[in-house]
Amino acid sequence: MATTVRRTVLTLPAGPLGPENPLPALRPLDETHVVDERDRAALPRDMARQIGFQPLSTVLPARILDGYGRERTPTALDAIVIENDRLRATVLPGLGGRVHSLHHKPTGRELLYRNPVLQPADFALNGAWFSGGIEWNIGATGHTALSCAPLHAARVPAPDGGEMVRLWEWERLRDLPFQVDLWLPEDSDFLHVGVRIRNPHEHTAPVYWWSNIAVPEGERTRVLAPADEAWHFGYERTLTRVPVPVSGSVDRTYPLRGEFPADYFYEVPDGARRWIASLDEDGHGLVQTSTDLLRGRKLFLWGSGAGGRRWQEWLTEPGTVGYAEIQAGLARTQLEHVPLEPGAEFSWLESYGSLSADPLTVHGEDWAAARAETEQRLAEVLPRADVEAAHDAWRPFADTEPGESLATGSGWGALEVRRGKYELPGTPFADSTLGEQQQPWLELLDQGTFPEPRRAVPPGPSMVSPHWRDMLETAPAEPLTEYHLGVAQWHAGDRAQAVRSWERGLVLAPSRWPLLRCLAVAAEEGRQRDRAADLYGEAFDDLCAERRDEDEAWTAAAAALGREALEALLTAGRPAAARSVWAALPPAIRQRGRFRLLEARLLIAEDDRAAARAVFDEGFEVEDLREGAQILDEAWAGITDEPLPDRYNFRMRPER
């Protein structure tokens, strides 16, 4: 059959994504992948330099997604299928362009870990993420803020005369447009993926990219890459060079032989072909290779320990096969950001396909022989020169204007293109995509004023880049303008000026709680716990006087502000005030897992450990439990010296 592209609907049991958190993300990233500055001195110079190159301080202007749940119901998802005689790829354009499935027809094997459910969890930079398939991570260290966001998608002519699917969007954390072109040449066993990131600005931009591939794990599944050394990152936040495959008397290329979750960033020698493979006990599996610009390769494993296995159940479905992740990126590690000069672009080609190698050699004790066997089999089915040629053939098509639209992303790219008058051949951001969230910013751009709302509603998203900040500074100083200006100033590091803007806005604001909450965060970050507690209490009271509990946006605001207020009041040692906030929350919010945990912490603060223990005994699930979080351990330790129950054990590092 000739290669075809078609739309379809995929139905999966899915947890509801829920509304956006309306509170601007003013706090520093809750990021586990951090290396202490003192430890960078021992790293190679280029690695240390790129680790320190413009790391994100917040996820602004993106909004936090923390309103999802765990009650899964059958949900119809728009999908795009790319298919030839050999492969069938299923893509989810509404969920970050995730490749959900890559099915190899001749053998009937699924090459990826295809998650049987769609369960949001708190792993993305801005919260909601889900496991499985191939994801395209752009922005900063971690899973992209676009993990659960729609991308634009369309048909585009492919280099071989057939069709390919183009995915594109404007990545807002770094203000950069990118595209991902997927095609299957006729009779090919490999899915080709052309990626391009452009910098249309007049300043150098920090770029992060890692393609993340979930693959089935098994007792005899081995991950192979062309390296004898790797950089190991555990959740103790240290980066150390270790030998491959054996480290600490354990062969770490088998994902289930480690106890705790860990990253292994392979040190691929200069000049070596870039590839990584996951092969099962019979030598079958998936291989990913690329042109040389995509230099990094990584294995992430959950390990065999109780915490890692609990996470696997949490993210997938109990009783199903687990998974590991093999990845490919622009730098050697995920802690680095690579500079992209003004007006320049990065482009490369990746290929994904089936690979079979001699199992005795692949699983033998001779690591060099296992690697050589895998690389030889790859060379036979997809020579290195063919990947380079495919990239060269694709590049002229990267500027081709898309044809039939297959999916629509956000309107943020259209707003930026309109403001900057950018010319971006191949990735049109049409005015027709501008929506409700962009409208006030469009008015600021066209008329120089930011519109005040006609009725009390939670504020919309803020814009924080320098050009928008400049426009806010020259706009009439209305309360909502001062609110957004303060958010932009805070993002720029000018915290004193941000506080002044919020205080000015507070004088005439008809709705005071958004500004009070911003001032509360500023006080908290300044270690003024009592002032932060006062401001949070005032902000929550003001919100309660305005909120309409039947409205989803107000419910999201009440949950978000109530949670922050409770945590601030508990930190300040004010359980009585925290109890008042708890009592004012809508009953449905108090039943959520995150709030059951807060209830237990409140009871501990009230010295009622028996009641706190009863909350744990009754059982709850913290829907938005953060990767690497210790909060369940800490709360349990405040109740009893007994071991943490298995259902609450999400430990990602050894106990200290």
Side-chain angles (χ1 to χ4, degrees), residues 130-245:
F130 63 102
S131 63
I134 306 171
E135 58 182 294
W136 319 110
N137 289 309
I138 181 173
T141 302
H143 296 280
T144 178
L146 296 167
S147 292
C148 292
L151 303 189
H152 302 285
R155 298 177 191 265
V156 182
D160 62 351
E163 286 187 320
M164 62 183 175
V165 172
R166 174 162 300 157
L167 306 167
W168 74 99
E169 204 17 300
W170 193 280
E171 202 287 312
R172 301 180 68 212
L173 302 188
R174 298 303 194 182
D175 246 356
L176 299 175
F178 73 98
Q179 70 189 79
V180 178
D181 289 356
L182 306 100
W183 79 100
L184 281 172
E186 191 170 349
D187 299 324
S188 174
D189 280 291
F190 283 83
L191 174 68
H192 288 329
V193 181
V195 182
R196 178 167 65 166
I197 303 170
R198 288 184 275 193
N199 179 9
H201 306 297
E202 296 179 354
H203 60 266
T204 299
V207 173
Y208 171 95
W209 183 280
W210 281 80
S211 301
N212 184 355
I213 310 126
V215 290
E217 66 179 6
E219 292 291 341
R220 291 278 292 165
T221 295
R222 192 176 205 185
V223 172
L224 301 104
D228 292 313
E229 292 182 307
W231 293 93
H232 167 259
F233 184 87
Y235 286 78
E236 301 89 346
R237 300 190 176 187
T238 57
L239 190 64
T240 54
R241 195 192 294 256
V242 298
V244 175

Side-chain angles (χ1 to χ4, degrees), residues 43 46 50 94 115 148 151 172 206 213 316 331 450 481 485 610 614:
L43 302 176
D46 63 330
Q50 291 185 164
N115 199 334
C148 292
L151 303 189
R172 301 180 68 212
I213 310 126
T316 62
F450 196 92
T481 305
L485 175 57

Side-chain angles (χ1 to χ4, degrees), residues 589-608:
I589 291 176
R590 293 202 298 263
Q591 291 304 309
R592 296 180 187 177
R594 169 62 64 177
F595 287 86
R596 297 301 310 283
L597 174 59
L598 280 167
E599 180 185 16
R601 292 172 58 197
L602 175 56
L603 289 164
I604 293 169
E606 293 171 333
D607 203 24
D608 192 347

Side-chain angles (χ1 to χ4, degrees), residues 331-578:
R332 280 185 288 187
T333 73
Q334 287 178 321
L335 288 71
E336 302 169 66
H337 300 89
V338 181
L340 180 58
E341 298 302 315
E345 65 179 48
F346 289 141
S347 78
W348 65 89
L349 185 119
E350 307 179 42
S351 298
Y352 297 81
S354 174
L355 190 72
S356 294
D358 174 44
L360 294 179
T361 307
V362 164
H363 295 288
E365 295 184 3
D366 187 336
W367 173 244
R371 281 172 34 202
E373 162 68 11
T374 307
E375 187 157 354
Q376 177 58 35
R377 295 293 172 251
L378 173 59
E380 292 171 1
V381 294
L382 185 64
R384 185 177 188 179
D386 287 5
V387 177
E388 297 288 347
H391 178 248
D392 292 342
W394 165 71
R395 282 297 291 113
F397 288 82
D399 284 346
T400 302
E401 290 304 305
E404 179 195 357
S405 174
L406 300 173
T408 303
S410 78
W412 297 113
L415 183 66
E416 291 295 345
V417 167
R418 187 157 172 172
R419 184 208 59 80
K421 298 180 173 56
Y422 301 124
E423 296 291 336
L424 298 169
T427 54
F429 293 95
D431 281 354
S432 60
T433 63
L434 291 165
E436 182 181 355
Q437 290 190 334
Q438 292 82 43
Q439 285 305 317
W441 298 97
L442 194 60
E443 186 169 329
L444 176 65
L445 177 64
D446 292 343
Q447 301 179 27
T449 60
F450 196 92
E452 289 290 308
R454 296 177 181 176
R455 58 187 178 90
V457 292
S462 296
M463 300 289 279
V464 298
S465 51
H467 36 264
W468 292 107
R469 187 172 72 245
D470 291 345
M471 281 185 267
L472 289 166
E473 287 176 345
T474 58
E478 300 294 338
L480 189 56
T481 305
E482 295 286 6
Y483 163 83
H484 286 298
L485 175 57
V487 173
Q489 291 164 333
W490 181 271
H491 177 263
D494 192 350
R495 297 191 168 186
Q497 190 59 56
V499 168
R500 285 192 286 272
S501 295
W502 292 326
E503 288 175 341
R504 282 196 305 269
L506 199 59
V507 174
L508 297 175
S511 184
R512 293 167 51 84
W513 66 266
L515 292 150
L516 288 167
R517 182 264 176 180
C518 290
L519 290 168
V521 174
E524 210 165 37
E525 291 298 304
R527 299 184 179 180
Q528 299 172 291
R529 291 183 176 178
D530 287 334
R531 174 167 167 74
D534 289 341
L535 288 164
Y536 265 121
E538 189 178 353
F540 187 73
D541 288 345
D542 189 69
L543 181 146
C544 288
E546 292 186 5
R547 79 184 195 214
R548 297 184 297 276
D549 288 346
E550 72 282 358
D551 185 287
E552 183 182 68
W554 281 107
T555 300
L561 186 56
R563 170 181 169 178
E564 289 187 7
L566 281 166
E567 290 175 340
L569 290 163
L570 289 173
T571 299
R574 300 188 189 179

